[in-house]
Amino acid sequence: MQVRDGEVVKTEVEQASSRILEIMALKGKVTDAGAMTVRCTDYESDEEVYRARHPWSVYQVPVTAMAEAMDRLRDRLPRDGWEIVKDGVDDSPAKTPQIVAESKGKEYSVDLRLLDESKYGDASSLIEVTVVSACYRSK
């Protein structure tokens, strides 16, 4: 496991998020509190192991445009060095469309979900994005 500077990892995760937003090419509103450092729960040891996590979403865009953005992601993520490891629906009762991809070196992963609330008469549809880093030991 790599020893990394947590601030550098957070910056890299935010840069990956920015690139994903560019690929989406949506003109909506974006939530963004910035990346955060969280304990990595994949390791059950006394050592301090972390990952950077950056959850955000795009909203106030027509659902049809969001579906087109998901198609762009399917096409462009592999060309941008990501491997799509899941492309289907999640295991929620709503069967939400989901794409999960990992960067080529598996340093980062992204989980993208299209939450279509329009079928329930709600205009608050969105694409939910979570970019996370691989686990690392802090410097």
Side-chain angles (χ1 to χ4, degrees):
M1 175 181 318
Q2 288 188 326
V3 174
R4 304 216 38 214
D5 180 319
E7 290 304 312
V8 171
V9 176
K10 286 195 311 188
T11 298
E12 290 173 356
V13 165
E14 289 173 352
Q15 289 170 344
S17 287
S18 293
R19 181 65 186 133
I20 289 164
L21 182 60
E22 285 175 20
I23 292 169
M24 283 187 200
L26 292 173
K27 301 289 185 211
K29 295 200 176 205
V30 178
T31 62
D32 188 4
M36 64 191 92
T37 301
V38 296
R39 290 222 33 150
C40 193
T41 58
D42 297 348
Y43 292 89
E44 294 187 19
S45 71
D46 291 335
E47 63 182 330
E48 303 218 357
V49 180
Y50 302 96
R51 72 174 8 134
R53 184 172 187 275
H54 189 206
W56 54 278
S57 57
V58 180
Y59 62 101
Q60 289 190 350
V61 179
V63 174
T64 54
M66 290 182 191
E68 291 168 0
M70 294 289 278
D71 287 339
R72 277 191 293 282
L73 289 161
R74 284 181 186 93
D75 179 56
R76 298 278 306 278
L77 283 173
R79 290 194 272 160
D80 250 36
W82 295 82
E83 177 188 355
I84 294 176
V85 295
K86 179 179 182 182
D87 186 358
V89 295
D90 67 11
D91 56 1
S92 72
K95 302 292 183 209
T96 300
Q98 178 185 32
I99 298 171
V100 178
E102 294 177 344
S103 61
K104 269 210 166 106
K106 299 191 180 191
E107 305 94 344
Y108 307 100
S109 65
V110 62
D111 184 334
L112 303 132
R113 298 173 196 236
L114 172 54
L115 301 157
D116 181 357
E117 299 298 322
S118 65
K119 55 189 160 196
Y120 306 109
D122 187 344
S124 62
S125 298
L126 55 90
I127 295 179
E128 180 182 85
V129 181
T130 305
V131 179
V132 297
S133 72
C135 294
Y136 63 91
R137 270 186 263 139
S138 188
K139 282 188 171 184

